[in-house]
Amino acid sequence: MTQLDSKVPDGPLEQKWTKHKNSIRVVNPANKRRIDVIVVGTGLAGASAAASLAELGYNVKTFCFQDSPRRAHSIAAQGGINAAKNYQNDNDSTYRLFYDTIKGGDYRAREGNVYRLAEVSANIIDQCVAQGVPFARDYGGLLDNRSFGGVLVSRTFYARGQTGQQLLLGAYSALMRQVGTGKVQQFSRHEMLDVVIVDGKARGIIARDLITGRIERHGAHAVLLCTGGYGNVFFLSTNAMGSNVTAAWKAHKRGAFMANPCYTQIHPTCIPVSGDHQSKLTLMSESLRNDGRIWVPKKKEDAEAVRAGTKKGVDIPEEDRDYYLERRYPSFGNLVPRDVASRAAKERCDAGFGVNKTGEAVYLDFSSAIERYGRTEASVRKIEDPSTEEIIRLGRDVVSAKYGNLFDMYANIAGENPYERPMKIYPAVHYTMGGLWVDYNLQTTVPGLYALGEANFSDHGANRLGASALMQGLADGYFVIPYTIGDHLAADIRTGPIDTERQEFSDAERAVRERIDKLIEVQGSTPVDVFHKRLGKVMWDKCGMARNAEGLQQAIQEIRQIREEFWKDVRVTGTANAFNQELEKAGRVADFLELGELMCKDALERQESCGGHFREEYQTEDGEALRNDTDFTYAAAWEWTGDPGGSNLHKEDLDYQFVKPTQRSYK
């Protein structure tokens, strides 16, 4: 078994990052001009890393399969970004953010990485404000905050419901400045299809120009993967349809360990599935749980009437509504973490209280918030004895100012006015906490190969707190990798340009071409999407919100069968040497068909429940996740051996020196 060295420095928690920066090697500014870095993916992690490294003097190449870095899936993040600024004077602190993140991840994250994330969080906000990101501000002009699930303070900075988009525009502006100076070469509409290893180090990539079909070689002294998560293995998810695992999976096959692949986050606040015609799901921001109250009817006959269309949610009186999160978790109420809220919604719907035709939806109701804000606004305006209509009008104006674009989005998709009727929501696949294993420097088990943001496993444990994805992506890109990459690159100042004519590049390119040709030559009868949907159903049913040993074993066999059929009967139209989106999809689904099996294997191996990994055999009397800290306080790192079913498990023990793991409680 490989000994995994996390490289987390010893010493007090609050001194680890400073100590580490002071002890690792740096590269002379003049020598940075001799070093090339490839960044794959240009979302928040990739754009911020590329801009920062180019600003330092490195020569950077960026790759994304979108037509512009502005199209990265980071733009879809709505609710906000966490930072321990304590602007609300509600007793927030770096330690509290660290603790909330560790607890929210169900004590399955690495302490050193999480504390560093909390420590640099405040710098991120300053950086983004300086870039002109239009964060919301309070009446006095100071940056505003709102609360998110899993915490008892308000530390989430936001730009209405467009936070990810605004943050990405800030990072994009910094990136394009470096493109303008010539320090960054930008390759849009390019997909990485392999990483090239020379003498044990990552030295470049093989990429396909998605417009022309041309296969290209690109050399560098280090490769950064900032390619997001793999939630689309479930087919239906809140991810952009192009989001995929291919870059990370190719790195895995070249020696990078894949860590905790079974840790999938199910987001509780999504628009429910409406039919087989859907190709993706739409997320309603977790910020809505600040003011929206979640409920189902108390009486089954009311739920049945709603499903039959003879009753509406507004027809059910207050005393007949079950605000089940407030009932079960009085301390946190509607702001329990995502995994807890998701399982609670599933339990109510499974018990027969769902409120749409499929029975898989609960209400998210803003009527109380509208009335509360309306009365406050009337008081501020010195309106004496306001009418009910006036209160509702004033309240709606306040809610619209806070969440208006989200309400508009819901109305356009669901065809109902959420100001007048409660929204219908249900959990859906959203984020993946698993990813490539990295050490404290964000380096994978392949020297010179780094993973940032959602592409790595490092900061969220078994469940990510809301508004922490943007925080991690920008922390990794702006404030971690610019320091840590120098420790590796300091040995490369005499290496010179990487020769892409080496045999290793030729071998990697040949392997890429052979796989593409194999996909096209199958000439089967079944479209790629059919296989993807079949895989997604197996994953959702047997490795989704709840898992058990029997289901996981069945899933592994079913996925193998789907994979075998895929390579015998997939239909890929068109040619390799041209624009071919079916070919792109086929390659990505082929990788999902391997990843899916490993996810099930990892879930089967982890005989406990923690965070987003809920094994039905391991739960408390109250139906909560039951951890096994004696046997499973480790990060599972899987090594590729030629087949996902034969992957070797390596364990990084998680040593909790500063936080004592306890049974999570949000009551």
Side-chain angles (χ1 to χ4, degrees):
M1 182 180 292
T2 300
Q3 182 66 37
L4 295 170
D5 181 7
S6 68
K7 294 187 172 64
V8 177
D10 297 327
L13 195 59
E14 65 276 6
Q15 295 178 17
K16 288 181 182 293
W17 179 226
T18 300
K19 177 181 178 181
H20 189 68
K21 288 188 291 183
N22 289 339
S23 63
I24 57 178
R25 294 175 294 180
V26 297
V27 179
N28 181 327
N31 289 331
K32 289 186 175 78
R33 295 192 288 270
R34 306 179 186 179
I35 294 176
D36 304 319
V37 178
I38 284 174
V39 178
V40 184
T42 52
L44 285 180
S48 59
S52 300
L53 294 175
E55 184 79 40
L56 288 171
Y58 296 107
N59 306 307
V60 180
K61 289 183 178 181
T62 64
F63 295 80
C64 68
F65 62 75
Q66 298 94 344
D67 54 4
S68 165
R70 296 194 309 275
R71 300 283 290 174
H73 184 56
S74 298
I75 67 168
Q78 300 164 335
I81 176 171
N82 288 331
K85 286 280 200 179
N86 195 34
Y87 280 179
Q88 302 300 311
N89 198 30
D90 55 1
N91 200 24
D92 197 11
S93 65
T94 297
Y95 185 86
R96 191 175 294 278
L97 175 52
F98 156 73
Y99 176 78
D100 287 343
T101 306
I102 287 285
K103 178 183 176 183
D106 218 350
Y107 303 95
R108 290 294 178 263
R110 189 190 288 155
E111 278 188 329
N113 286 68
V114 176
Y115 191 87
R116 175 176 65 188
L117 178 64
E119 186 178 352
V120 304
S121 66
N123 298 339
I124 298 171
I125 304 304
D126 296 340
Q127 169 90 0
C128 294
V129 169
Q131 290 174 336
V133 173
F135 285 121
R137 295 179 180 269
D138 63 19
Y139 180 79
L142 301 177
L143 294 182
D144 200 9
N145 292 117
R146 56 190 178 200
S147 54
F148 256 58
V151 303
L152 293 174
V153 297
S154 295
R155 65 163 66 101
T156 304
F157 296 78
Y158 63 99
R160 217 175 178 197
Q162 309 167 359
T163 312
Q165 181 177 11
Q166 298 302 327
L167 290 171
L168 185 60
L169 288 173
Y172 173 75
S173 65
L175 173 63
M176 294 309 294
R177 177 176 179 271
Q178 297 304 321
V179 172
T181 67
K183 293 302 293 182
V184 173
Q185 281 184 272
Q186 191 178 339
F187 294 85
S188 298
R189 301 297 290 151
H190 279 67
E191 182 168 28
M192 174 191 139
L193 294 180
D194 210 348
V195 61
V196 182
I197 310 298
V198 178
D199 297 331
K201 297 180 180 180
R203 290 305 197 193
I205 65 171
I206 305 297
R208 180 173 181 267
D209 184 325
L210 298 180
I211 302 298
T212 66
R214 185 174 63 249
I215 304 299
E216 302 175 358
R217 306 177 185 183
H218 295 272
H221 300 89
V223 176
L224 277 58
L225 300 184
C226 311
T227 50
Y230 46 83
N232 276 351
V233 69
F234 291 87
F235 185 70
L236 286 179
S237 81
T238 66
N239 288 202
M241 289 180 63
S243 298
N244 63 83
V245 76
T246 290
W249 195 249
K250 301 308 184 190
H252 176 52
K253 286 187 167 184
R254 291 292 183 181
F257 290 3
M258 182 67 74
N260 299 335
C262 76
Y263 287 164
T264 305
Q265 181 163 81
I266 311 296
H267 198 295
T269 319
C270 299
I271 297 179
V273 175
S274 60
D276 292 338
H277 62 282
Q278 280 183 275
S279 55
K280 76 176 300 294
L281 297 175
T282 302
L283 171 70
M284 299 306 296
S285 170
E286 182 171 323
S287 62
L288 295 175
R289 289 200 281 146
N290 272 288
D291 290 312
R293 300 177 70 192
I294 296 172
W295 64 277
V296 293
K298 284 183 179 178
K299 301 174 182 177
K300 274 193 179 177
E301 55 264 35
D302 282 343
E304 291 166 357
V306 169
R307 291 198 293 272
T310 58
K311 247 184 187 180
K312 300 175 183 176
V314 292
D315 298 330
I316 299 174
E318 187 72 17
E319 62 270 17
D320 290 335
R321 300 180 180 188
D322 178 15
Y323 296 95
Y324 58 89
L325 290 178
E326 298 172 33
R327 169 173 57 82
R328 291 178 59 175
Y329 309 101
S331 180
F332 281 72
N334 295 296
L335 289 174
V336 292
R338 291 173 176 177
D339 61 319
V340 177
S342 295
R343 284 195 298 273
K346 182 178 187 297
E347 184 275 328
R348 287 290 79 196
C349 291
D350 289 350
F353 295 92
V355 295
N356 69 349
K357 291 181 179 180
T358 66
E360 294 185 332
V362 299
Y363 285 129
L364 178 63
D365 196 334
F366 271 78
S367 57
S368 296
I370 288 172
E371 181 180 352
R372 183 178 71 252
Y373 283 129
R375 291 190 181 281
T376 301
E377 192 67 13
S379 178
V380 169
R381 297 187 184 193
K382 302 293 189 283
I383 301 174
E384 295 184 8
D385 196 23
S387 66
T388 301
E389 293 75 14
E390 199 164 17
I391 289 171
I392 291 174
R393 180 182 60 79
L394 292 171
R396 285 183 181 180
D397 288 345
V398 175
V399 169
S400 176
K402 291 168 71 94
Y403 310 110
N405 61 315
L406 299 173
F407 275 52
D408 292 344
M409 184 171 68
Y410 180 88
N412 289 333
I413 294 172
E416 293 184 348
N417 185 340
Y419 294 102
E420 298 175 356
R421 296 186 185 182
M423 295 181 186
K424 293 175 183 175
I425 58 169
Y426 194 70
V429 172
H430 179 53
Y431 187 92
T432 50
M433 284 73 67
L436 295 175
W437 184 92
V438 293
D439 60 19
Y440 197 62
N441 290 332
L442 305 184
Q443 187 169 233
T444 69
T445 46
V446 175
L449 181 65
Y450 294 80
L452 282 66
E454 192 179 355
N456 73 35
F457 89 107
S458 67
D459 290 357
H460 306 298
N463 176 63
R464 178 177 66 82
L465 291 181
S468 286
L470 305 184
M471 176 174 63
Q472 187 209 348
L474 292 179
D476 287 355
Y478 282 138
F479 298 109
V480 179
I481 199 66
Y483 294 95
T484 62
I485 199 171
D487 195 44
H488 171 76
L489 294 177
D492 273 324
I493 58 176
R494 293 184 177 86
T495 301
I498 302 301
D499 181 10
T500 58
E501 297 301 316
R502 290 184 61 117
Q503 188 63 42
E504 292 87 348
F505 279 87
S506 299
D507 292 344
E509 180 181 337
R510 183 174 62 254
V512 166
R513 291 184 182 278
E514 288 174 353
R515 192 165 190 269
I516 289 174
D517 291 341
K518 184 179 178 182
L519 285 167
I520 291 177
E521 289 167 1
V522 173
Q523 291 295 301
S525 60
T526 306
V528 176
D529 278 347
V530 172
F531 291 104
H532 197 179
K533 285 183 180 180
R534 287 176 60 191
L535 171 65
K537 180 168 175 52
V538 171
M539 294 298 296
W540 177 250
D541 289 346
K542 297 173 180 176
C543 194
M545 258 198 287
R547 305 103 184 257
N548 59 58
E550 181 182 3
L552 290 167
Q553 289 164 347
Q554 292 172 354
I556 289 171
Q557 296 306 316
E558 291 172 19
I559 292 169
R560 289 175 181 170
Q561 179 64 32
I562 297 170
R563 191 164 68 235
E564 183 179 340
E565 293 178 26
F566 174 89
W567 285 107
K568 289 180 179 178
D569 195 41
V570 69
R571 183 178 73 219
V572 179
T573 55
T575 65
N577 301 317
F579 179 73
N580 191 339
Q581 290 186 306
E582 280 299 297
L583 177 60
E584 295 172 35
K585 283 198 294 185
R588 295 165 188 171
V589 171
D591 293 327
F592 280 141
L593 284 166
E594 293 178 344
L595 167 69
E597 181 176 345
L598 182 61
M599 291 172 68
C600 293
K601 182 175 182 178
D602 187 43
L604 188 61
E605 179 75 23
R606 188 168 286 277
Q607 298 175 32
E608 65 164 353
S609 291
C610 56
H613 167 66
F614 191 76
R615 284 283 296 269
E616 293 174 340
E617 307 95 321
Y618 308 103
Q619 54 182 299
T620 66
E621 292 181 358
D622 296 331
E624 305 295 345
L626 181 62
R627 293 196 323 270
N628 178 350
D629 291 337
T630 302
D631 300 317
F632 293 96
T633 307
Y634 63 77
W638 295 91
E639 177 187 12
W640 176 260
T641 58
D643 178 84
S647 298
N648 289 333
L649 173 61
H650 304 268
K651 300 177 182 179
E652 179 200 341
D653 291 330
L654 299 172
D655 181 17
Y656 287 96
Q657 301 177 19
F658 303 96
V659 174
K660 180 182 179 182
T662 59
Q663 183 64 38
R664 277 197 310 169
S665 175
Y666 293 95
K667 296 182 178 182

